[in-house]
Amino acid sequence: MIQAWARPMTWVLVTLVTVTLALAGTGVFPARAADPIKIGFGMALTGGLSANGKPALLAVQIWKDDINKKGGLLGRPVELVFYDDQTNPATVPQIYTKLLEVDKVDLIISGYGTNLIAPLLPIAMERKLTLMGMFGLANNEKYQYPNYFQIQPAGPEPQISTAIGFFELAAKQNPKPQTVAIVGADAEYPQNALVGARELIKKFGFKTVYDKTYPPSTTDYTPIVRAIKATNPEIVFIASYPPDSVGMLRAAQEVGLEPKIMGGGMVGLMFTTFMTSLGSLLNGIVNYDFWAPEPAFLAMPGIKEFLKEYQARADKAGVDPLGYYLPPYSYALMQVLGQAVEATKGLDQQKIADYIRKTEFATIVGRVKFGKNGEWATGRTLMVQYQKISGNSIDQFRGPGKKVVLYPDEFKSGDLIYPYAAAKK
Amino acid sequence: MVAGLLLGGFYAAVSLGVSVIFGLLDIANIAQPAFLLLGAYAAYLMNTSFALDPILTGILFTPLFYLLGAVVYRVYYESFERRGEESLRGLVFFFGLLFIIEVSLSLKFGVDYRLVQAGYIGKSIDLGGVGIAFRLLVPCLVGIGMTVALYLFLGRTFYGRAIMAVSQDRLALRLMGADPVHIKTIAFGVGIAAASLAGALLVTIAPVVPSTDRDYIGRMFATTVLGGMGSIPGTLAAGVILGMVESLMSTFFGPSWSLAVSFGILLIVLAVRPAGLFGR
């Protein structure tokens, strides 16, 4: 009787198992069809920027669910691996090292915001990764990394993008206003926006009568507004973060500051909680934005379905109930990445980047084409004016007419009510 | 000047709790700003749910926060102070509490900025050509009222005097037949209740998020130290000084300098009078 170990078939089996295990260890076998494609990122789920980070995460999750319903990418399901960066740039290197080394993600995207993208760019450059950036202002100006792409529609000149529409509108008025006050917080975004504003003031020939900054933790803004009022400016450009936006607006109302045009770069006014809380106090303010529920934007393919899904899930997720600022762009960012993976039929970082660089993408925020430094080839920072808001109901903000687009002309949905005092009524 | 006075009244209200807990009891309660935020969110919740005035909510909720403070002190006492481990471990305990409260607020209310509505917010009164915002005037008046009430409580009542005594000589108080732990429990509760009411004032003035507490840690402790540890009138005076400096700097020299000059004044005062303005 022949022993089991001596049978030829047993040896064949043992050899096959050994070779299989060895090859699997070297990664010779391609990923199986059922293996998920992992997309990794850090996101501000706590800390100062979490009010935007959490809605952005929800938008990315909606994209993942949508794409998986359609069969995933390259026939494989998509899985998100993400960690809370606590709005702390110091956590970014550790998070992405873990994502790349331990979690072995296939693709990365950035977290939300300029400060959180800044430490990630060198990591992506070192590893030659394609990096999709989520709302960072002028992050790639110094690095000029060719495989970085920014979904914020700031355009090729991000530094002046926030203010250009504001000053162009002011310059078009008859008689043209002459004097400008500019004010902003001592923080990265407002400082960038103020640099752009100073450049534009020169370009349009205005005269600066007040140019000061304040600490972001200021409690009372009335002394600042009083000082501005004392200079009697016709234009007031404010570059502020959410708490100071509210502080400045309330102080302006209380002190009676009424220039001919006011606003510009105030972050926070586009958040639903602020729109409903401030109500008619917003009337007349001219401010930058990226999305408004005006006809041109609502007509973009897929946006209504996305907003319906987002708004249905927003309450449970504890995020902005309307989601008109960042979420459509977060979803569009994933659409760009997904389309590039499908088109290049693989996960080769260089091929994906090359494809993104040369292609115009169809997304829920319209056609997206990247240009210099990975910014949008043509900028699309809107200038909107809050008009005819009454009371604090959320429903009035769902449709057109309250946040009227004034700039650029191709998206214009109404006219500027000028001066500010007339729009306040 | 007027804006500075108004801001000063509010700063005093924010710092009164620290004056009692840190100044009188010598407990470095780093979590004090988190209780400020708890008070702010309580006011927000009642304002959005029942349209209750935020400051009225703050007053109504003080007994509840007093009890919460008493419980926190008992836990702290049993876990650290009784064992003589209050210095470093106690500090870690309050740090932990700060983060737990902050994360709990994030989970319950989300991370959006929260504002309240009240009839007087956004309105102002003209006094001799100077517009005074009710949004700042009302918290200032409440802050002054809190200061007077706490001053009278500490100086005129049995428990108030006992708190002053426990801050000076714990052993002597025990020899007089009073229980220092009981007295400290009351004082801690009063300190937390004051913080919660100040939180209601805060949300009346400006929008809040769960991480707003971090902006106030420095201001609260600086006001207490500048006024003189544990001095209630000193806290009001320090609050007014810091508020006026901040306001005058913002108006005349540029707001960027306001905090630096405020803290510069603190350093100068401490160099000249190490015990603070009203410290003994």
Side-chain angles (χ1 to χ4, degrees):
Chain A
M1 191 176 165
I2 301 171
Q3 293 293 317
W5 55 267
R7 286 179 193 155
M9 278 308 287
T10 310
W11 282 108
V12 169
L13 206 65
V14 169
T15 311
L16 268 176
V17 169
T18 313
V19 170
T20 308
L21 286 173
L23 286 177
T26 58
V28 167
F29 286 129
R32 286 177 296 126
D35 281 348
I37 290 178
K38 290 184 186 176
I39 302 177
F41 53 96
M43 189 60 78
L45 304 179
T46 55
L49 294 182
S50 49
N52 272 342
K54 286 178 87 169
L57 172 65
L58 177 57
V60 173
Q61 286 170 325
I62 291 172
W63 173 82
K64 181 206 73 173
D65 294 345
D66 286 351
I67 204 81
N68 283 342
K69 266 184 226 156
K70 292 176 193 160
L73 287 177
L74 306 172
R76 295 162 59 186
V78 172
E79 184 186 316
L80 302 177
V81 186
F82 59 88
Y83 300 101
D84 177 13
D85 63 31
Q86 303 161 31
T87 319
N88 179 0
T91 62
V92 170
Q94 306 147 24
I95 287 175
Y96 281 85
T97 305
K98 182 171 186 309
L99 286 167
L100 294 162
E101 301 291 341
V102 181
D103 301 321
K104 305 275 183 201
V105 297
D106 301 292
L107 300 161
I108 58 164
I109 60 169
S110 84
Y112 164 72
T114 310
N115 294 355
L116 283 306
I117 296 173
L120 176 57
L121 247 168
I123 298 172
M125 289 168 72
E126 193 185 307
R127 294 170 184 254
K128 299 186 170 55
L129 301 172
T130 297
L131 177 61
M132 297 297 303
M134 194 180 291
F135 276 41
L137 194 68
N139 277 105
N140 203 21
E141 292 276 288
K142 285 181 193 156
Y143 296 116
Q144 301 185 344
Y145 178 51
N147 295 357
Y148 168 82
F149 305 97
Q150 176 52 252
I151 199 67
Q152 180 176 333
E157 292 182 277
Q159 210 147 39
I160 60 163
S161 64
T162 312
I164 183 139
F166 182 82
F167 285 106
E168 255 191 53
L169 284 168
K172 275 184 194 165
Q173 303 312 309
N174 191 15
K176 183 185 159 192
Q178 299 296 322
T179 51
V180 188
I182 63 171
V183 64
D186 289 316
E188 183 155 345
Y189 153 71
Q191 291 296 320
N192 273 334
L194 289 179
V195 169
R198 288 185 196 109
E199 203 176 299
L200 291 162
I201 288 169
K202 261 191 216 157
K203 182 182 164 189
F204 289 108
F206 296 122
K207 184 186 167 204
T208 306
V209 291
Y210 182 95
D211 180 354
K212 297 251 163 70
T213 58
Y214 55 80
S217 58
T218 301
T219 306
D220 178 21
Y221 292 87
T222 48
I224 302 169
V225 173
R226 273 207 186 91
I228 294 172
K229 193 183 175 194
T231 62
N232 201 22
E234 289 173 289
I235 303 168
V236 175
F237 178 84
I238 305 167
S240 52
Y241 276 131
D244 17 326
S245 297
V246 175
M248 291 294 286
L249 274 191
R250 280 180 170 169
Q253 164 88 354
E254 289 155 357
V255 170
L257 176 67
E258 279 189 1
K260 288 185 175 158
I261 181 167
M262 180 159 80
M266 304 175 83
V267 179
L269 302 189
M270 50 293 276
F271 300 166
T272 308
T273 176
F274 280 14
M275 290 195 291
T276 52
S277 302
L278 294 172
S280 59
L281 198 61
L282 287 170
N283 280 334
I285 295 293
V286 175
N287 201 36
Y288 88 98
D289 213 319
F290 296 120
W291 202 90
E294 297 292 302
F297 290 91
L298 289 169
M300 287 170 183
I303 189 71
K304 281 185 183 158
E305 293 78 4
F306 166 74
L307 288 174
K308 193 177 167 200
E309 180 68 16
Y310 173 91
Q311 288 168 9
R313 286 164 70 167
D315 190 37
K316 198 177 168 200
V319 296
D320 189 290
L322 295 178
Y324 289 164
Y325 180 63
L326 179 61
Y329 287 89
S330 305
Y331 189 93
L333 177 150
M334 300 307 293
Q335 284 184 300
V336 169
L337 191 61
Q339 287 172 30
V341 168
E342 285 288 8
T344 56
K345 297 185 172 54
L347 295 165
D348 184 306
Q349 298 283 329
Q350 193 55 46
K351 281 185 187 164
I352 292 172
D354 291 341
Y355 182 81
I356 295 176
R357 212 174 300 116
K358 67 177 189 206
T359 310
E360 186 174 273
F361 294 88
T363 74
I364 61 167
V365 295
R367 309 292 297 181
V368 178
K369 174 91 176 77
F370 296 98
K372 185 186 156 200
N373 292 336
E375 302 287 347
W376 279 39
T378 310
R380 202 184 70 185
T381 303
L382 312 175
M383 209 38 74
V384 302
Q385 186 177 40
Y386 294 88
Q387 295 179 358
K388 298 176 184 124
I389 296 169
S390 60
N392 305 93
S393 137
I394 186 174
D395 289 329
Q396 63 182 320
F397 297 105
R398 291 186 193 277
K402 300 296 172 189
K403 210 158 72 166
V404 175
V405 179
L406 310 170
Y407 176 95
D409 285 342
E410 57 185 300
F411 291 100
K412 192 171 167 181
S413 63
D415 293 318
L416 172 73
I417 303 178
Y418 183 87
Y420 171 59
K424 271 181 78 180
K425 284 171 192 163
Chain B
M1 283 288 268
V2 177
L5 275 172
L6 298 180
L7 191 59
F10 166 66
Y11 280 171
V14 164
S15 310
L16 281 174
V18 179
S19 247
V20 174
I21 294 173
F22 182 52
L24 291 176
L25 306 186
D26 208 18
I27 298 171
N29 178 14
I30 297 289
Q32 190 77 0
F35 290 102
L36 183 81
L37 261 284
L38 268 183
Y41 274 94
Y44 163 76
L45 190 66
M46 299 307 281
N47 185 257
T48 47
S49 307
F50 305 106
L52 210 59
D53 181 85
I55 295 174
L56 182 64
T57 306
I59 294 167
L60 291 176
F61 271 54
T62 44
L64 207 65
F65 277 94
Y66 170 82
L67 289 177
L68 179 66
V71 171
V72 169
Y73 176 72
R74 283 292 175 165
V75 172
Y76 167 75
Y77 173 75
E78 294 296 336
S79 311
F80 305 101
E81 202 173 70
R82 195 163 60 87
R83 300 178 193 171
E85 294 171 345
E86 69 264 36
S87 54
L88 193 60
R89 291 186 186 184
L91 199 65
V92 173
F93 167 74
F94 286 117
F95 254 123
L97 200 58
L98 176 89
F99 288 121
I100 288 169
I101 293 173
E102 201 179 305
V103 170
S104 305
L105 287 173
S106 289
L107 290 174
K108 168 73 186 140
F109 294 99
V111 287
D112 274 349
Y113 281 92
R114 303 292 175 187
L115 298 90
V116 291
Q117 309 282 341
Y120 47 85
I121 294 176
K123 291 184 180 144
S124 57
I125 180 172
D126 192 68
L127 284 183
V130 182
I132 296 175
F134 282 113
R135 180 173 56 92
L136 288 159
L137 179 63
V138 175
C140 172
L141 292 176
V142 175
I144 292 170
M146 283 169 70
T147 310
V148 172
L150 201 57
Y151 181 71
L152 292 176
F153 169 72
L154 291 174
R156 303 270 172 91
T157 64
F158 169 74
Y159 282 112
R161 285 180 185 149
I163 291 168
M164 296 300 279
V166 82
S167 73
Q168 286 163 13
D169 194 338
R170 189 176 161 171
L171 188 65
L173 190 74
R174 191 180 282 278
L175 292 173
M176 303 290 285
D179 177 9
V181 177
H182 178 60
I183 300 299
K184 286 177 97 171
T185 306
I186 293 172
F188 203 96
V190 168
I192 298 298
S196 75
L197 180 50
L201 306 181
L202 169 66
V203 76
T204 307
I205 293 178
V208 294
V209 280
S211 57
T212 303
D213 53 359
R214 298 175 199 181
D215 291 342
Y216 283 88
I217 291 181
R219 280 199 186 105
M220 285 168 115
F221 282 87
T223 311
T224 305
V225 173
L226 180 63
M229 298 280 279
S231 165
I232 301 304
T235 305
L236 180 62
V240 170
I241 289 171
L242 291 179
M244 282 180 62
V245 169
E246 212 175 301
S247 184
L248 290 173
M249 289 305 296
S250 294
T251 308
F252 296 111
F253 300 99
S256 278
W257 287 98
S258 55
L259 280 182
V261 173
S262 296
F263 281 86
I265 286 176
L266 173 66
L267 291 179
I268 293 167
V269 169
L270 289 184
V272 179
R273 261 186 82 84
L277 290 173
F278 287 61
R280 276 173 285 182

